[in-house]
Amino acid sequence: IYAMLEHTFQGRPTLLMDGVGVGKTMQVVGFICFLTWFQQYYAKNHRFPGAFSRPPVHWLFNHRLTYGTEDRKFHGANLPNGPHLIIVPLALEKQFISEIHRYVQRHTFDLFSYTTAVRGKHAAGFWAEVDKRRTQKVFQIFVATLPVSAGIC
């Protein structure tokens, strides 16, 4: 999880691939929880905690992170208040959602299953339900299956 956080703060992507049964689900859920906590910590304290309070010097002067239409220098910029997207194979969707419920305290996040069932005529109802939930997007987790993600990525 720490390495994934470092990659995020350095603007580098992370691809988590490992064998069966080594804890990828727990790592992803832990990573999302830490990102959310870091975002909330920064909003309150105007800095990140611990080792992340000061990015490496070369990032302070040379690196820019782009969040949507905002382009900000890393120093002094919070993580985006955006939702989290997890893409899983269709066969693992229910198991992944079950594991999220197992690891995360109830009502901490709004969890949405974005499958082929919510496309087309059902899409408006799905997004209306999303809009009724928490105002802060950082507390939203979307679990999408591979067939659906092929149309949105």
Side-chain angles (χ1 to χ4, degrees):
I1 293 173
Y2 188 84
M4 291 165 48
L5 289 167
E6 280 185 321
H7 284 198
T8 299
F9 277 80
Q10 294 170 355
R12 295 172 29 205
T14 300
L15 181 60
L16 181 60
M17 296 175 20
D18 229 331
V20 175
V22 293
K24 293 180 298 295
T25 303
M26 181 60 183
Q27 290 176 44
V28 168
V29 173
F31 176 65
I32 288 173
C33 290
F34 269 106
L35 283 180
T36 302
W37 183 75
F38 274 39
Q39 198 272 346
Q40 296 294 293
Y41 186 97
Y42 187 96
K44 182 178 179 181
N45 300 293
H46 306 290
R47 66 180 180 82
F48 293 109
F52 296 97
S53 63
R54 296 183 193 267
V57 172
H58 68 279
W59 288 103
L60 289 175
F61 301 107
N62 300 323
H63 190 61
R64 298 181 77 78
L65 293 180
T66 302
Y67 304 137
T69 59
E70 298 175 275
D71 189 9
R72 303 181 279 186
K73 285 193 184 222
F74 183 87
H75 186 66
N78 196 356
L79 296 170
N81 182 14
H84 307 278
L85 173 64
I86 302 169
I87 301 173
V88 298
L90 183 59
L92 296 179
E93 180 218 2
K94 290 186 187 331
Q95 177 186 344
F96 206 95
I97 289 172
S98 173
E99 292 295 304
I100 291 173
H101 287 297
R102 178 179 169 197
Y103 296 130
V104 178
Q105 184 177 357
R106 271 180 123 26
H107 308 296
T108 303
F109 289 91
D110 291 327
L111 183 60
F112 301 97
S113 176
Y114 189 76
T115 64
T116 53
V118 298
R119 293 178 75 182
K121 65 180 180 177
H122 301 289
F126 175 81
W127 293 112
E129 180 63 27
V130 169
D131 290 341
K132 283 195 271 185
R133 301 290 181 93
R134 261 187 221 280
T135 56
Q136 291 192 38
K137 303 281 187 212
V138 74
F139 288 103
Q140 294 177 338
I141 299 174
F142 291 86
V143 177
T145 56
L146 288 172
V148 171
S149 64
I152 62 172
C153 293

